Amino acid sequence: MKIQLFTVLAIFSFILPISSIAQDIFQEGDRLFTTEELQAQILNTSKRKITIKSSAQLSGKMEITTESGSAVTAQYFKKSRTDSESNAIDYIDLIAVSIVEKPEEILILFRAPNPAPWSKETESGIVELYLQIPPYSEVEIEARYFDISAVGPFKSFILPASLGRIEVENVNGYLEAGTTNQKLSLKNITGEIKVSTTNGKLVAENIKSPDSQAYFKNDGGDILIRNFEGLLNVRNNYGRISIVEFVAGRGKNFVRGFSAPVIIEIEKMSNTELTVLNRFEDIEILLPENVSASFSLAVEEGNRIEATSFEFKPEFVQKNRLNIVAGKGESSINSTIRGKGNIYIIGVGN
């Protein structure tokens, strides 16, 4: 018994100092307390899938970049927003960040008690992460309350459900991102794309999706797509749709709006099918030089259809319907408005 008791005490005395090491806590701002910079690293990994998962009790921000080599390096801060320094120390001590190499992936975890000891209304537990990973990694994130900025190149980037701001650049493969009541920004993306937001602006620049429809959805915020090449599927309610420098791919493109203007500037099109629908607002389509397309255009009684500044041959003309052909009619553009709204088809540079 004495030998067993001595062994237990010896083990306990070895573990206790490790778990009781105090973290230096600093006041960073009004009601905001933070640790000094902490680090974790995995060297020479062959894994190219990076998975980040956070407890729903935590919020914060992540900045993800790529660096040549085979290391995954994380610099991070654990923070707390509260009135009391003693509370901040207690809260921060309960936040855990770990980085682990699994058989198929690198797993980064942010953990906190559930339920959290801090008040959701007036306090918070926070993690601020700066992560460097190998180029062309596959990134998947489950972190609902984090603002995320990521600059690749990535092979894929998946963030399906967020409540934070999202900025993603340089994905070549697959992109899926969704947020709510926040801005979503994309740049230099190639491949399969599925993104959405609500009540915030959606901006996409320098996008290529030649093999499948790139899906963009918003509700209550504007959509701006600039310099897009390929196939589009765009839907929006109560927000403007602006698509400029559009090189329309061979196949079906679909744009639908509701109670806000739709403006599409086509730079080039070849054997393209474009359907544009709107309700209670105008549609404006700007055409490239020497356009070759057939048009089927319809509005409700009392609204206008105008086709100007390009050569066309009328095929069917009514007060609220107009079918015309420009050039050889190699592409097709179908546009309809329900409710009040006009259609304007305008040639540019002819």
Side-chain angles (χ1 to χ4, degrees):
M1 289 293 292
K2 289 181 181 180
I3 294 173
Q4 291 175 344
L5 179 60
F6 175 79
T7 303
V8 171
L9 288 173
I11 294 172
F12 182 76
S13 64
F14 176 75
I15 293 174
L16 183 59
I18 296 174
S19 61
S20 301
I21 295 173
Q23 301 177 90
D24 291 331
I25 307 296
F26 308 93
Q27 185 161 2
E28 187 177 51
D30 183 33
R31 302 183 66 251
L32 182 62
F33 299 84
T34 181
T35 63
E36 59 187 2
E37 181 184 282
L38 305 170
Q39 293 189 0
Q41 187 177 55
I42 294 178
L43 298 171
N44 302 319
T45 180
S46 62
K47 309 300 185 299
R48 286 297 182 270
K49 181 175 181 182
I50 314 295
T51 302
I52 305 172
K53 295 184 178 182
S54 174
S55 163
Q57 315 304 318
L58 295 170
S59 60
K61 73 174 185 178
M62 302 182 202
E63 293 186 9
I64 304 171
T65 58
T66 59
E67 290 190 0
S68 60
S70 58
V72 175
T73 303
Q75 291 95 29
Y76 62 95
F77 300 84
K78 298 192 293 182
K79 302 185 177 186
S80 178
R81 192 175 300 279
T82 182
D83 291 322
S84 164
E85 182 177 357
S86 62
N87 281 346
I89 293 170
D90 291 341
Y91 297 163
I92 288 173
D93 200 41
L94 293 171
I95 299 171
V97 176
S98 60
I99 174 171
V100 182
E101 186 168 17
K102 296 284 188 178
E104 302 297 330
E105 64 185 349
I106 302 296
L107 180 60
I108 301 172
L109 294 175
F110 305 158
R111 293 191 294 267
N114 186 16
W118 46 83
S119 167
K120 290 185 178 181
E121 288 74 21
T122 60
E123 299 176 313
S124 55
I126 301 167
V127 175
E128 192 172 295
L129 173 71
Y130 301 88
L131 181 67
Q132 296 85 44
I133 62 177
Y136 302 103
S137 294
E138 302 173 31
V139 179
E140 187 167 352
I141 301 174
E142 298 177 22
R144 195 166 180 81
Y145 300 101
F146 283 73
D147 294 333
I148 294 172
S149 173
V151 179
F154 305 114
K155 183 178 179 181
S156 66
F157 192 93
I158 300 173
L159 175 60
S162 175
L163 294 173
R165 293 189 302 274
I166 300 174
E167 298 178 6
V168 182
E169 295 186 28
N170 299 341
V171 179
N172 191 342
Y174 179 73
L175 170 65
E176 180 181 348
T179 189
T180 302
N181 301 325
Q182 296 286 355
K183 183 177 181 180
L184 174 57
S185 300
L186 312 172
K187 191 173 183 180
N188 300 331
I189 312 295
T190 300
E192 188 177 351
I193 300 162
K194 182 180 180 181
V195 295
S196 65
T197 188
T198 62
N199 298 320
K201 194 168 186 178
L202 194 164
V203 179
E205 300 181 84
N206 303 331
I207 313 294
K208 294 182 179 180
S209 185
D211 300 321
S212 60
Q213 287 183 341
Y215 182 76
F216 299 89
K217 183 180 179 182
N218 203 348
D219 193 345
D222 293 346
I223 293 177
L224 171 60
I225 301 172
R226 183 185 300 278
N227 191 16
F228 181 94
E229 183 177 339
L231 302 174
L232 270 176
N233 189 332
V234 181
R235 299 170 182 262
N236 200 2
N237 294 324
Y238 304 104
R240 176 188 294 265
I241 298 173
S242 300
I243 304 169
V244 298
E245 301 176 50
F246 178 26
V247 178
R250 296 172 180 264
K252 295 182 179 181
N253 297 268
F254 186 80
V255 180
R256 185 180 74 182
F258 181 86
S259 294
V262 174
I263 302 171
I264 303 174
E265 177 191 311
I266 301 173
E267 190 171 279
K268 185 178 180 181
M269 62 191 308
S270 178
N271 295 317
T272 297
E273 297 179 46
L274 174 61
T275 299
V276 186
L277 309 177
N278 204 4
R279 297 184 66 184
F280 308 114
E281 256 293 359
D282 295 346
I283 294 171
E284 182 177 309
I285 301 175
L286 307 178
L287 301 174
E289 188 176 5
N290 301 321
V291 62
S292 178
S294 61
F295 299 78
S296 178
L297 313 171
V299 296
E300 294 197 349
E301 293 290 340
N303 299 311
R304 299 195 311 275
I305 302 172
E306 295 184 5
T308 59
S309 301
F310 67 103
E311 294 184 0
F312 60 84
K313 179 177 69 176
E315 291 195 330
F316 182 79
V317 180
Q318 286 187 338
K319 287 185 177 181
N320 63 331
R321 289 189 61 87
L322 179 63
N323 290 1
I324 59 176
V325 176
K328 296 181 180 180
E330 295 170 330
S331 296
S332 65
I333 297 177
N334 303 305
S335 184
T336 302
I337 294 179
R338 300 297 183 191
K340 186 174 177 58
N342 307 309
I343 296 176
Y344 303 96
I345 310 296
I346 305 169
V348 177
N350 291 285

